[in-house]
């Protein structure tokens, strides 16, 4: 699986929650984070290079632990890799439609994802009368990447981006960027107990488990590879996963 940085760890946790006897290679493209401020063409290019690299490891599947990459592939085409390539948008949209009562659904994502309208289309394909409020929150990914997820700044930034959802009386909000479940505490605080918060990674975890449970159980080893600074990544990842993480640097350019 891969992401631009620490965000995909939320998907990794969901996959490992559903099935632990599986080996994982996690690639973090921190040399290019944040993806959300780049063009979808650029993001698709990075992602295709990472997928080609991961395919050398002969995986049973690849999970795209990055909403922005899913938006890019939705617009520019999905690579055909011969093994399942799991995305977040369909599972996130389905979970949101199952959860909502009123049909007023919020989506908070990167600018690139919000602008692409990918979640809006997927939600309306599941429920035609849904009213979707979609916003880009570019401040949040750098907060997580800096390791500031537990700070007052994080709380204030999340509160600001939740204002449109409160005004639109959304009863369900999708975290359409995988970095954002690291900030769930603040989303809960800002949105209140009546609003369902959807982390699409949880449904991806269940989908992955269905595929992986057919295979021989493995040791459960996780290899972390990082295109930027492996030490900085490992430090934050160790805190977020509550486990010792070692990461190797890997330049794909
Ligand atoms: N975590 C990724 C996503 O789900 C990328 C965020 C970014 O690098 O801007 O969109």
């Amino acid at each position: 699986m891969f992401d631009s940085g620490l965000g995909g760890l939320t998907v990794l946790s969901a996959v490992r929650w559903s099935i632990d006897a599986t080996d994982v290679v996690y690639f973090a493209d921190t040399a290019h984070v944040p993806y959300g401020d780049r063009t979808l063409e650029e993001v698709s290019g990075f992602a295709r290079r990472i997928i080609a690299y991961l395919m050398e490891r002969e995986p049973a599947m690849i999970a795209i632990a990055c909403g922005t990459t899913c938006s890019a592939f939705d617009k520019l085409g999905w690579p055909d890799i011969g093994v399942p390539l799991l995305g977040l948008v369909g599972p996130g949209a389905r979970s949101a439609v199952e959860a909502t009562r009123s049909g007023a659904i919020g989506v908070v994502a990167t600018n690139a994802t919000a602008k692409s309208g990918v979640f809006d289309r997927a939600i309306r394909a599941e429920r035609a009368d849904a009213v979707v409020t979609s916003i880009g929150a570019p401040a949040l990914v750098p907060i997580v990447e800096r390791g500031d997820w537990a700070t007052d700044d994080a709380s204030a930034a999340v509160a600001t981006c939740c204002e449109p959802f409160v005004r639109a009386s959304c009863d369900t909000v999708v975290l359409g960027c995988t970095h954002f479940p690291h900030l769930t505490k603040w989303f809960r605080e800002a949105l209140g107990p009546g609003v369902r918060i959807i982390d699409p990674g949880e449904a991806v975890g269940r989908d992955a488990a269905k595929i992986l449970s057919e295979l021989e159980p493995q040791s459960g080893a996780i290899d972390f590879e990082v295109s930027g600074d492996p030490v900085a990544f490992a430090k934050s990842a160790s805190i977020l996963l509550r486990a010792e993480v070692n990461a190797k640097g890997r330049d794909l350019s």
Side-chain angles (χ1 to χ4, degrees):
M1 63 175 63
F2 66 95
D3 179 40
S4 61
L6 297 163
L9 298 180
T10 61
V11 181
L12 174 64
S13 298
V15 169
R16 296 301 292 251
W17 176 258
S18 298
I19 180 160
D20 53 9
T22 188
D23 294 346
V24 177
V25 180
Y26 182 101
F27 191 90
D29 193 12
T30 54
H32 299 123
V33 70
Y35 276 8
D37 298 338
R38 296 177 179 273
T39 65
L40 294 180
E41 285 72 13
E42 237 180 330
V43 171
S44 171
F46 295 146
R48 281 177 177 268
R49 209 176 306 152
I50 295 166
I51 288 171
Y53 171 67
L54 291 176
M55 286 305 289
E56 292 171 15
R57 308 285 289 263
E58 302 186 347
M61 54 165 272
I62 294 181
I64 302 179
C66 172
T68 310
T69 301
C70 297
S71 311
F73 286 167
D74 186 71
K75 179 172 174 218
L76 301 164
W78 285 72
D80 184 2
I81 58 169
V83 295
L85 185 58
L86 302 193
L88 295 154
V89 177
R94 276 190 293 279
S95 303
V97 168
E98 272 162 33
T100 186
R101 295 169 303 278
S102 67
I105 297 173
V107 178
V108 58
T110 61
N111 272 344
T113 296
K115 223 167 77 193
S116 78
V118 64
F119 274 102
D120 315 41
R121 286 191 295 281
I123 290 168
R124 276 196 285 266
E126 298 283 330
R127 178 168 167 168
D129 69 344
V131 178
V132 184
T133 304
S134 202
I135 65 146
L140 303 188
V141 169
I143 284 175
V144 172
E145 289 294 322
R146 280 200 305 270
D148 286 344
W149 50 80
T151 62
D152 289 346
D153 278 359
S155 164
V158 169
T160 303
C161 60
C162 287
E163 284 166 10
F165 304 137
V166 175
R167 278 201 298 278
S169 302
C170 295
D171 72 355
T172 301
V173 170
V174 182
L175 306 184
C177 167
T178 55
H179 279 72
F180 299 173
H182 292 309
L183 304 168
T184 295
K185 173 177 160 28
W186 308 121
F187 278 103
R188 271 197 209 299
E189 230 174 72
L191 294 167
V195 175
R196 287 283 301 275
I197 296 172
I198 304 295
D199 170 3
E202 290 175 10
V204 173
R206 290 191 292 276
D207 290 349
K210 269 184 227 143
I211 298 169
L212 298 169
S213 59
E214 307 281 311
L215 309 175
E216 285 292 306
Q218 296 170 322
S219 68
I222 307 178
D223 281 352
F224 293 94
E225 301 200 7
V226 182
S227 61
D229 176 0
V231 176
F233 176 86
K235 189 170 162 226
S236 287
S238 301
I239 299 169
L240 290 167
L241 295 175
R242 295 189 181 89
E244 196 189 327
V245 167
N246 294 301
K248 281 197 288 271
R250 179 80 59 193
D251 182 3
L252 298 188
S253 58

